[in-house]
């Protein structure tokens, strides 16, 4: 068993970060001492801000390897973040640009001696609500993850990263995460491919296209809970009408809600039904942006319908597709909570406990808010990652504006 | 694929009738009709079941039954769905109005004033887009309990008065309004709030409509948060009420009343959505005109 001393760790990170930033700016010709200094400062901030609230507990003797690993990971990520900021600042300063973007020159601003007061009056309501009910709970979620907190008990106890390590070692949690991704994949595939097909059809110059559109998108307004109730009526294994029809026509009954695979499928179908109208709306908007001349030109050049679709329509839709992938994924992560709670309650035998449902099961039913907080943080990191991916993707893949 | 058509080919092909590269139209009608039927079936069947007695439901009859009054009585009088619906209506309208007001003000502050660090404030607001409230629910639960707001309307409304989405939409919209308007207003001696109410709001109805739709639906359809924070029947919202009804009827499989509840709970959001559909599309720049 190896031991990591906090002081050695700090010294090492400071040295490495300093060397890294110094190396990054070496191309400028000479050694930049302030780059070295900024790198060192980033390393110091990275280790101290990450580890000081945890009191270096992940490196205590009796901790296991996973704690040490997580501790190192946190230090690494935190230091990388500060290095990125330092790098950005130095790059801007060395080119001679100011740090802050120039104040926008908007012609219509109000000028009066009272302007600062009025500005504050306009912005404070939103800023206060966001600080209290968004940023503070966000900070608390971080904190909850490191504590033993029971629902209803006023006292809490610091437990280092135990809530997180127990998640990592819990196969049930990995199952929940995997299931969540499967549901997301299912919803994205079903709701988006069918949505695009329908949007294509509605976008044709058809008689009554508006009526079709209205009749196709209304499930957007239905809540996940009601969607679950409607599909419960259809899919109930004993009294459900779908099984009744299946039995009369094909002679089979399907255990829609009583079998792990079918129950997941039922959840995906319900969620896709609920979400598809949203996709149809946005795809129609995207298709309206594509000028028909382009497709006409392609057809004159001898392209068939499939070539026109895959070579022109699909690439031009990509900004909308990216946006919808993220929206559908986030729907599948969080809104399916209602669907699952109504359709299966996580059953049969916990087979449909998604990550968000597990937060509820552990935090509210199991009264363990610390663990639930840790799980919320994992979900948060995933969502932030997906959003960043989408942001980068949509920036790189912006279609040539037509 | 050939790169370009010869002029002679162009003439002979384009001027006759441009060939559509899509399948024939009857095909589209067929696909759309099938889609309408499949998408509509769950609600259609639920409406039928809402009128049927237990016996009729089990017989799978596809026409209205005789249990309408009985089902209505069970849901409204015995389960108190009316109260839940009123609660939901109240909080949804409150949140929608609150969000519009707060975000109009924030948009005004972000576009029509000049001060250092504006990008920082905008970033502070917009970053909250990345963190869905469901992720914060556990921490928010502790916070709101510490305020002693459990079982109050405040718990269901106040935390949701600020919204990055609507601030963003208003900011975009205000930036597209010509600055000459606010200059003229200033010359006439109007203060920013007069400008907001007399000029900006009349120009922003479609954005306001879009935000009202999306926020009304969001709040009406909320389930996890009220499930956590509201314990009393008095303040409970309709989604939790429906979920409770499902538990109540589990034993005798009485789907009639449950579907009655589901249909009733869907009416307000459906009406709001269908009424404001045009504003919704316009406000989200879904019908972008160039």
């Amino acid at each position: 068993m190896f031991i990591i001393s906090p002081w050695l760790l700090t010294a090492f990170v400071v040295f490495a970060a300093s060397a890294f930033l110094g190396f990054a700016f070496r191309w400028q010709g000479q050694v930049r001492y302030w780059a070295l200094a900024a790198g060192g400062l980033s390393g110091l901030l990275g280790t101290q801000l990450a580890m000081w609230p945890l009191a270096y507990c992940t490196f205590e003797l009796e901790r296991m390897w996973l704690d040490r690993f997580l501790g190192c990971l946190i230090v690494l990520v935190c230091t990388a973040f500060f290095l990125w900021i330092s790098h950005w600042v130095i790059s801007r300063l060395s080119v001679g640009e100011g740090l802050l973007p120039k104040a926008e020159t908007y012609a219509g601003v109000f000028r009066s001696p009272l302007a600062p007061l009025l500005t504050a009056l306009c912005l404070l309501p939103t800023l206060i609500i966001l600080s209290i009910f968004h940023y503070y709970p966000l900070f608390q979620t971080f904190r909850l993850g490191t504590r033993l907190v029971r629902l209803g008990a006023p006292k809490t106890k610091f437990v280092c990263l135990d809530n997180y390590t127990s998640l990592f070692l819990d196969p049930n949690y990995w199952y929940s995460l995997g299931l969540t991704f499967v549901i997301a994949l299912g919803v994205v595939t079903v709701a988006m491919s069918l949505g695009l097909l329908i949007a294509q059809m509605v976008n044709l110059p058809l008689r009554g296209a508006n009526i079709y559109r209205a009749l196709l998108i209304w499930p957007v307004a239905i809540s996940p809970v009601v969607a679950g109730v409607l599909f419960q009526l259809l899919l109930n294994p004993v009294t459900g009408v779908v099984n009744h029809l299946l039995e009369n026509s094909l002679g089979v009954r399907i255990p829609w809600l009583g079998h792990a695979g079918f129950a997941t499928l039922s959840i995906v179908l319900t969620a896709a039904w609920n979400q598809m109208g949203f996709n149809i709306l946005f795809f129609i908007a995207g298709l309206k942006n594509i000028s028909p001349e382009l497709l006409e030109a392609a057809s004159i050049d001898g392209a068939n319908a499939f070539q026109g679709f895959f070579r022109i329509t699909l690439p031009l839709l990509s900004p909308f597709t990216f946006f919808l992938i993220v929206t559908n994924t986030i729907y599948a992560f969080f809104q399916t909570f209602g669907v699952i709670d109504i359709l299966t309650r996580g059953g049969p035998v916990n087979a449909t406990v998604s990550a968000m449902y597990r937060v509820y099961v552990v935090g509210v039913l199991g009264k363990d808010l610390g663990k639930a907080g840790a799980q919320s943080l994992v979900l948060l990191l995933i969502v932030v990652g997906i959003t960043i991916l989408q942001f980068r993707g949509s920036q790189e893949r912006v279609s040539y504006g037509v | 694929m050939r790169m370009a058509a010869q002029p002679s080919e162009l003439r002979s092909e384009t001027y006759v009738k441009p060939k559509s590269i899509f399948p024939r139209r009857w095909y589209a009608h067929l696909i759309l009709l099938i889609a309408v039927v499949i998408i509509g079936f769950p609600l259609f069947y639920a409406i039928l079941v809402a009128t049927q007695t237990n016996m009729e439901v089990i017989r799978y009859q596809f026409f209205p039954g005789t249990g309408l009054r009985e089902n209505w009585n069970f849901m409204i009088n015995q389960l108190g769905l009316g109260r839940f619906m009123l609660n939901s209506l109240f909080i949804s309208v409150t949140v929608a109005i609150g969000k519009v007001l707060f975000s109009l003000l924030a948009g005004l502050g972000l576009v029509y004033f000049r001060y250092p660090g504006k990008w920082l404030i905008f970033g502070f607001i917009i970053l909250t887009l990345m963190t869905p409230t469901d992720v914060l629910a556990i921490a928010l639960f502790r916070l709101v309990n510490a305020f002693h707001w459990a079982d109050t309307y405040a718990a269901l409304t106040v935390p949701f008065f600020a919204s990055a989405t609507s601030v963003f939409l208003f900011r975009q919209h205000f930036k597209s309004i010509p600055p000459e308007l606010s200059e003229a207003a200033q010359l006439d001696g109007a203060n920013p709030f007069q400008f907001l109410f007399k000029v900006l709001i009349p120009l922003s109805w479609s954005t306001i409509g879009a935000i009202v739709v999306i926020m009304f639906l969001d709040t009406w359809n909320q389930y996890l948060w009220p499930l956590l924070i509201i314990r009393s029947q008095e303040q409970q919202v309709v989604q939790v009420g429906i979920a409770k009804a499902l538990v109540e009827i589990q034993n005798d499989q009485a789907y009639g009343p449950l579907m009655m509840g589901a249909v009733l709970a869907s009416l307000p959001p459906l009406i709001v959505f269908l009424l404001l559909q045009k504003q919704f599309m316009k406000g989200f720049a879904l019908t972008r005109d160039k």
Side-chain angles (χ1 to χ4, degrees):
Chain A
M1 196 49 110
F2 62 101
I3 301 159
I4 303 176
S5 144
W7 304 114
L8 272 178
L9 178 83
T10 311
F12 175 73
V13 172
V14 166
F15 178 75
S18 162
F20 177 81
L21 214 59
F23 193 73
F25 284 96
R26 192 184 46 125
W27 51 268
Q28 304 236 341
Q30 68 222 58
V31 180
R32 303 273 162 165
Y33 290 106
W34 33 269
L36 289 177
L41 186 67
S42 310
L44 193 66
L45 279 175
T47 39
Q48 293 310 305
L49 278 183
M51 277 296 128
W52 186 69
L54 293 173
Y56 290 94
C57 67
T58 56
F59 303 114
E60 282 161 2
L61 257 184
E62 68 273 17
R63 297 279 162 197
M64 55 187 219
W65 63 271
L66 191 56
D67 286 291
R68 287 201 180 83
F69 174 74
L70 279 180
C72 291
L73 196 69
I74 292 170
V75 168
L76 195 71
V77 169
C78 213
T79 307
F81 175 71
F82 281 104
L83 274 176
W84 177 64
I85 291 180
S86 306
H87 190 270
W88 182 78
V89 168
I90 293 177
S91 313
R92 274 193 85 115
L93 286 181
S94 60
V95 192
E97 274 181 90
L99 277 187
L100 303 179
K102 288 195 185 99
E104 290 168 69
T105 48
Y106 184 68
V109 292
F110 278 85
R111 288 177 194 84
S112 86
L114 286 178
L117 188 72
L118 293 175
T119 315
L121 216 59
C122 286
L123 290 171
L124 276 182
T126 296
L127 294 183
I128 289 175
I129 295 280
L130 285 182
S131 307
I132 298 179
F133 294 108
H134 218 109
Y135 281 99
Y136 180 71
L138 187 64
F139 164 75
Q140 276 294 326
T141 306
F142 277 94
R143 205 169 151 271
L144 277 177
T146 64
R147 304 188 82 83
L148 181 70
V149 189
R150 303 293 298 177
L151 182 65
K155 279 196 180 162
T156 67
K157 185 179 159 230
F158 181 68
V159 290
C160 199
L161 296 183
D162 283 359
N163 288 325
Y164 295 95
T165 47
S166 68
L167 279 190
F168 270 94
L169 300 175
D170 182 2
N172 290 331
Y173 190 68
W174 287 104
Y175 176 83
S176 286
L177 273 187
L179 179 80
T180 310
F181 278 102
V182 167
I183 292 176
L185 192 70
V187 172
V188 167
T189 327
V190 175
M192 283 187 63
S193 55
L194 290 180
L196 181 55
L197 174 76
I198 291 172
Q200 277 268 23
M201 299 301 138
V202 175
N203 198 40
L204 294 175
L206 290 180
R207 193 179 277 261
N210 279 337
I211 299 171
Y212 279 129
R213 201 187 60 200
L215 285 176
L216 288 164
I217 60 176
W218 59 265
V220 172
I222 304 279
S223 76
V225 168
V226 171
V229 167
L230 297 186
F231 275 73
Q232 171 88 38
L233 176 72
L234 299 181
L235 298 177
N236 188 305
V238 187
T239 56
V241 68
V242 170
N243 264 352
H244 171 71
L245 295 177
L246 278 178
E247 192 168 36
N248 283 1
S249 57
L250 302 171
V252 288
R253 295 186 79 87
I254 295 177
W256 288 108
L257 306 176
H259 171 274
F262 281 114
T264 310
L265 181 69
S266 305
I267 289 162
V268 168
L269 287 180
T270 313
W273 177 82
N274 198 198
Q275 180 68 8
M276 197 160 67
F278 190 79
N279 300 346
I280 296 176
L281 267 180
F282 277 77
F283 273 136
I284 291 177
L287 290 171
K288 284 253 189 316
N289 274 354
I290 301 173
S291 68
E293 287 88 3
L294 264 180
L295 291 165
E296 236 164 70
S299 102
I300 291 166
D301 281 355
N304 63 30
F306 284 101
Q307 284 170 326
F309 176 75
F310 282 108
R311 303 236 168 132
I312 294 173
T313 309
L314 218 50
L316 285 179
L317 275 181
S318 60
F320 287 84
T321 316
F322 259 110
F323 168 75
L324 285 178
I325 289 178
V326 172
T327 332
N328 281 280
T329 309
I330 289 180
Y331 172 94
F333 266 70
F334 300 110
Q335 296 298 302
T336 46
F337 173 82
V339 176
I340 294 173
D341 196 37
I342 297 298
L343 271 187
T344 65
R345 293 195 178 275
V349 207
N350 294 336
T352 53
V353 176
S354 73
M356 191 61 218
Y357 201 75
R358 189 170 288 275
V359 171
Y360 172 72
V361 169
V362 168
V364 180
L365 305 181
K367 298 182 192 284
D368 190 340
L369 294 182
K371 274 211 178 71
Q375 294 184 10
S376 301
L377 193 66
V378 173
L379 278 176
L380 178 71
L381 291 180
I382 294 174
V383 170
V384 168
I386 292 174
T387 317
I388 290 174
L389 273 185
Q390 183 246 352
F391 190 68
R392 294 184 67 117
S394 62
Q395 275 192 331
E396 279 163 19
R397 278 239 221 147
V398 170
S399 62
Y400 24 97
V402 183
Chain B
M1 204 169 100
R2 281 178 296 168
M3 286 313 289
Q6 296 298 312
S8 60
E9 277 180 309
L10 260 181
R11 197 167 302 129
S12 65
E13 279 191 35
T14 41
Y15 291 138
V16 178
K17 195 186 174 197
K19 200 176 72 181
S20 167
I21 67 162
F22 293 112
R24 282 182 193 284
R25 303 272 165 77
W26 64 264
Y27 199 43
H29 279 290
L30 186 71
I31 292 181
L32 288 175
L33 278 174
I34 293 174
V36 166
V37 169
I38 292 178
I39 289 177
F41 183 72
L43 188 66
F44 169 76
Y45 188 60
I47 292 172
L48 283 185
V49 168
T51 68
Q52 295 173 349
T53 61
N54 252 358
M55 286 314 292
E56 288 162 334
V57 175
I58 291 168
R59 261 186 271 130
Y60 303 104
Q61 63 176 35
F62 282 93
F63 46 87
T66 54
L68 183 65
R69 177 182 291 271
E70 198 184 313
N71 294 341
W72 171 275
N73 273 341
F74 182 83
M75 282 316 275
I76 299 293
N77 299 335
Q78 215 165 315
L79 225 90
L81 192 76
R83 174 75 200 218
F84 298 154
M85 299 230 345
L86 279 181
N87 286 337
S88 280
L89 195 67
F90 174 72
I91 65 156
S92 305
V93 170
T94 311
V95 167
I97 292 176
K99 272 192 177 160
V100 167
L101 276 182
F102 277 45
S103 310
L104 272 172
L105 282 177
L108 186 75
L110 281 170
V111 174
Y112 290 99
F113 291 98
R114 224 187 123 114
Y115 46 92
K118 190 187 273 189
W119 64 279
L120 209 66
I121 289 177
F122 183 60
F124 181 85
I125 295 173
I126 228 62
L127 266 185
T128 59
L129 273 180
M130 290 223 268
T131 52
T133 23
D134 308 71
V135 169
L136 305 176
I138 295 290
L140 201 58
F141 174 73
R142 267 171 65 88
L143 178 71
V144 169
N145 265 327
F147 285 174
H148 299 290
W149 277 4
D151 286 332
T152 62
Y153 291 124
L156 295 171
T157 52
V158 178
F160 307 105
F161 277 163
S163 146
T165 318
S166 44
V167 171
F168 180 75
L169 286 175
F170 277 130
R171 177 178 171 269
Q172 295 298 97
H173 179 64
F174 290 169
K175 286 202 156 195
S176 73
I177 291 174
E180 286 80 16
L181 283 179
S182 82
E183 276 165 9
Q186 282 187 70
L187 282 179
D188 291 344
N191 68 38
F193 296 109
Q194 285 168 325
F195 176 64
L196 174 67
F197 283 102
K198 299 236 166 88
V199 181
L200 281 184
I201 291 183
L203 284 174
S204 311
W205 283 122
S206 56
T207 311
I208 293 175
I211 292 168
V212 165
V213 177
I214 206 88
M215 298 313 165
F216 183 91
L217 293 191
D218 261 14
T219 315
W220 183 277
N221 291 344
Q222 231 179 16
Y223 177 56
L224 177 61
W225 178 243
L227 184 68
L228 292 185
I229 201 71
I230 303 292
R231 291 267 157 241
S232 86
Q233 292 285 306
E234 298 285 297
Q235 276 78 30
Q236 198 48 278
V237 299
V238 70
Q239 303 299 332
V240 182
I242 296 288
K244 282 209 172 110
L246 179 72
V247 178
E248 297 254 321
I249 64 121
Q250 206 94 70
N251 289 331
D252 41 355
Q253 302 273 332
Y255 276 108
L258 183 64
M259 292 307 138
M260 171 66 85
V263 171
L264 285 178
S266 305
L267 282 181
L270 275 177
I271 291 169
V272 169
F273 182 69
L274 292 178
L275 283 183
L276 294 179
Q277 200 187 336
K278 226 172 232 163
Q279 277 76 4
F280 177 84
M281 312 267 290
K282 262 196 213 159
F284 278 97
L286 286 184
T287 47
R288 200 177 311 164
D289 36 2
K290 303 197 169 184

